[in-house]
Amino acid sequence: MITVGKKDGLSLKISHIVEESKQHELEMFLFIPGELGLNKDMVSESEFYYNSIQSQRTYFSDKNHLPLVHSRLAQRGRLSTEQYRLSLSLYAYQYALALEKAVQQLNDTSREEITHQEVDDAIDLAIDILRKLRRNVPYDDTLKRYYANIDNYLSWYTEQRFLSLLAHMPRNEEYKLVKERLVDICELESLHRLDKSYNSGKARDDMTRMSNKMRLLRRLIEFPIVLKEKNLALGKHIKRAVKGGATAVVMIFVSLMVIQARGFLGEITASFIFAVSFIYAMREVFKDDLRDVMWRWIRKGQPKWRKRYLDPTTNTYVGRKLEWLDYMTFSELDSDIQKLRKHRVVQREEVILSYKSQTKMAITKFMSGYEQTRETMLIDLRPIARLMEKGSQKIYQLNDGQVSKESVEKRHLINLIVRETMDDYSTQLHRWKIIVNRSKIIDIEKISIDSK
């Protein structure tokens, strides 16, 4: 399952869950308008990878009540501290993600289309989840402190999400009823934190201090479930060997040419020195070209980066991921991707940025009770947005015999195609349209691959 959304203006958020699969292959193709002039000389593959792509892989469980079961086991002393922390953090993390997604969907909905029932459903679910969490407070002081930190964050985060929803609500006839419920739950959560003495008076009075504290608590939640990554750029030793090999090949030809020049010109003269200088100048030119050709030939189709995943608690190896990133032309795409794009666009000058990853996870080494992982990738589109022209264009219309002029902002359409391949070699294709201007992502629309 893959979801695509936006985050912080020009960041594309792509999330997918690997469901009980040891191996998983993911391919993403960004079709960027050719008029922007993007190429590898302007933004290289390595520069885009390190500056514009961030990824995070976490444990995931669709058994929503498993953390509550673990909590009861911890109360009875039948569960280790590490397992309890992992379970409670996973529960809190998935609740925060679900609440963020639900509120974001409501905020993205047309203001006049938000219904009282939709808001009530979101509030009821949040109250129910928090109530179940608070039924199982551990007895151990160490676990109780960990629980308090998580309860503190979830209470504050719930209040913040619902306040943002209230700020975006349309001022229609249902606004008063919805406002009362949203205000009630926000006030209840604020009183809950005050009753538990979770935050000092200075923190409550200083918004900056409170925000920074909650950011640290969010990191506390994520620490036990976010897998550690060790990234390695592949091919370094091969690159050194290629550089040495190219130099050796060029020097052989240079030496032969110097010998030939000596035999033809005789003694060391000005002509001989000039010829040798010309030969060595040509060596510098052809050495770099030969090295680049050899490097591309040897590394063609090979992964460029490797990530090793480690369990954050035990530091044991739990999986690895190989990654590719290349600029491609339409003719280099395989038939499935070509077919999906060919009948939808007339112009073929698009620049295609292709990302591919192959993930292999050692499920048997996961923390007990978890067999799935969730990966979230953030793709920063700012290097692409910088190439877009500033300003707007004028559009003229004829209305009742009068000419009107309007300013229309310049927008560009980026197509995203994603292909998943599971360990049983089954594949799934997905496609999205991403409308972008120079400052933000305007809209993301998922397109059915069966529609014409």
Side-chain angles (χ1 to χ4, degrees):
M1 182 177 66
I2 294 181
T3 59
V4 176
K6 55 184 176 181
K7 183 177 182 180
D8 299 333
L10 281 167
S11 291
L12 197 63
K13 183 177 180 180
I14 302 173
S15 302
H16 66 98
I17 298 170
V18 181
E19 300 178 351
E20 300 182 4
S21 175
K22 294 182 180 179
Q23 297 187 33
H24 180 266
E25 184 176 293
L26 182 71
E27 296 174 271
M28 297 189 298
F29 303 90
L30 276 173
F31 293 82
I32 302 164
E35 61 184 293
L36 298 181
L38 180 68
N39 56 58
K40 64 176 62 179
D41 295 325
M42 189 174 298
V43 182
S44 67
E45 293 96 333
S46 296
E47 182 181 354
F48 193 88
Y49 176 82
Y50 286 113
N51 296 334
S52 299
I53 298 180
Q54 298 179 11
S55 64
Q56 184 183 77
R57 186 175 292 271
T58 65
Y59 286 125
F60 179 84
S61 174
D62 54 6
K63 300 174 183 177
N64 296 327
H65 297 292
L66 183 62
L68 302 181
V69 174
H70 282 181
S71 180
R72 287 190 287 270
L73 291 175
Q75 288 179 339
R76 300 166 189 168
R78 299 178 184 176
L79 196 70
S80 68
T81 302
E82 291 77 13
Q83 285 180 311
Y84 173 76
R85 288 185 175 183
L86 171 63
S87 183
L88 192 62
S89 291
L90 184 58
Y91 187 75
Y93 182 73
Q94 292 182 191
Y95 166 72
L97 290 180
L99 181 62
E100 179 184 13
K101 182 179 179 181
V103 173
Q104 186 64 46
Q105 287 177 344
L106 290 173
N107 287 339
D108 290 341
T109 304
S110 175
R111 295 173 67 91
E112 303 303 325
E113 295 178 3
I114 300 177
T115 65
H116 181 270
Q117 186 61 44
E118 288 176 328
V119 177
D120 278 349
D121 289 343
I123 294 174
D124 291 339
L125 283 172
I127 292 175
D128 183 57
I129 292 172
L130 292 176
R131 185 186 297 119
K132 290 177 179 177
L133 174 71
R134 291 163 183 169
R135 285 178 188 165
N136 300 280
V137 181
Y139 300 138
D140 183 86
D141 289 339
T142 302
L143 298 182
K144 185 179 292 186
R145 285 195 296 270
Y146 193 80
Y147 163 84
N149 285 327
I150 288 183
D151 186 34
N152 186 15
Y153 175 80
L154 292 186
S155 175
W156 177 85
Y157 189 76
T158 301
E159 179 186 352
Q160 290 297 307
R161 291 299 91 203
F162 284 137
L163 287 176
S164 73
L165 178 58
L166 183 59
H168 287 82
M169 282 289 297
R171 300 320 192 248
N172 55 22
E173 57 186 14
E174 294 187 343
Y175 173 74
K176 186 176 181 180
L177 294 175
V178 172
K179 178 182 178 181
E180 290 178 358
R181 283 215 69 190
L182 289 173
V183 170
D184 286 343
I185 187 175
C186 291
E187 290 179 345
L188 286 174
E189 290 304 319
S190 179
L191 289 174
H192 174 75
R193 297 194 302 276
L194 185 62
D195 180 61
K196 298 296 183 180
S197 301
Y198 282 154
N199 306 295
S200 65
K202 290 184 178 180
R204 292 194 300 270
D205 296 336
D206 189 339
M207 293 180 61
T208 302
R209 183 171 177 177
M210 179 66 74
S211 177
N212 289 333
K213 177 178 180 178
M214 294 303 165
R215 179 173 53 85
L216 295 176
L217 293 183
R218 178 64 179 250
R219 292 181 61 185
L220 178 70
I221 290 175
E222 294 179 352
F223 177 78
I225 63 172
V226 177
L227 302 182
K228 292 182 180 179
E229 296 181 357
K230 289 188 176 181
N231 201 349
L232 175 67
L234 302 177
K236 291 182 179 180
H237 299 298
I238 297 177
K239 192 170 187 177
R240 294 191 185 99
V242 167
K243 185 177 181 180
T247 302
V249 171
V250 171
M251 283 303 300
I252 291 174
F253 285 97
V254 167
S255 300
L256 292 174
M257 292 178 67
V258 170
I259 293 172
Q260 291 292 330
R262 178 65 184 272
F264 181 77
L265 297 175
E267 298 296 328
I268 298 177
T269 60
S271 298
F272 176 76
I273 294 175
F274 177 78
V276 171
S277 300
F278 178 76
I279 292 171
Y280 274 89
M282 295 302 294
R283 182 200 71 166
E284 293 301 317
V285 174
F286 288 107
K287 181 182 70 174
D288 293 338
D289 291 342
L290 180 61
R291 182 189 62 196
D292 293 340
V293 170
M294 291 176 62
W295 173 250
R296 287 195 298 268
W297 178 72
I298 292 175
R299 293 292 299 167
K300 185 177 181 179
Q302 298 296 315
K304 296 182 178 180
W305 299 276
R306 182 181 67 206
K307 285 182 179 177
R308 299 181 75 250
Y309 293 111
L310 305 175
D311 184 277
T313 305
T314 62
N315 279 325
T316 56
Y317 169 83
V318 294
R320 63 109 176 105
K321 180 170 74 168
L322 301 176
E323 295 178 288
W324 293 255
L325 186 65
D326 298 286
Y327 285 95
M328 300 181 70
T329 61
F330 185 78
S331 59
E332 293 175 325
L333 299 174
D334 57 52
S335 58
D336 290 341
I337 306 301
Q338 286 186 0
K339 184 178 179 181
L340 196 56
R341 279 295 293 150
K342 193 170 185 179
H343 67 279
R344 300 181 187 277
V345 66
V346 177
Q347 299 175 341
R348 290 267 66 90
E349 71 272 11
E350 290 175 319
V351 177
I352 304 170
L353 196 57
S354 169
Y355 171 86
K356 177 181 176 182
S357 67
Q358 288 182 350
T359 306
K360 185 175 182 180
M361 305 302 294
I363 297 176
T364 55
K365 297 183 180 180
F366 285 3
M367 187 68 75
S368 176
Y370 302 100
E371 297 179 347
Q372 303 177 40
T373 58
R374 180 181 189 271
E375 183 179 39
T376 301
M377 296 183 63
L378 293 179
I379 301 180
D380 189 353
L381 300 181
R382 281 181 295 179
I384 300 173
R386 292 192 194 104
L387 304 175
M388 300 177 184
E389 295 182 6
K390 296 181 180 180
S392 59
Q393 58 186 5
K394 304 298 182 182
I395 299 296
Y396 298 89
Q397 290 182 328
L398 186 63
N399 294 320
D400 298 329
Q402 300 295 322
V403 177
S404 62
K405 180 177 67 174
E406 295 184 9
S407 295
V408 179
E409 65 176 354
K410 296 179 181 179
R411 297 178 177 180
H412 294 271
L413 175 63
I414 297 176
N415 278 271
L416 171 65
I417 294 179
V418 179
R419 177 167 58 191
E420 285 184 289
T421 305
M422 309 304 291
D423 54 358
D424 60 355
Y425 300 104
S426 61
T427 61
Q428 292 183 352
L429 287 169
H430 311 270
R431 180 171 177 250
W432 288 267
K433 285 184 178 180
I434 305 166
I435 301 175
V436 185
N437 64 14
R438 189 177 172 85
S439 60
K440 63 180 180 179
I441 296 174
I442 303 297
D443 186 41
I444 299 175
E445 178 187 1
K446 185 168 185 178
I447 306 299
S448 172
I449 61 175
D450 296 325
S451 62
K452 299 296 182 183

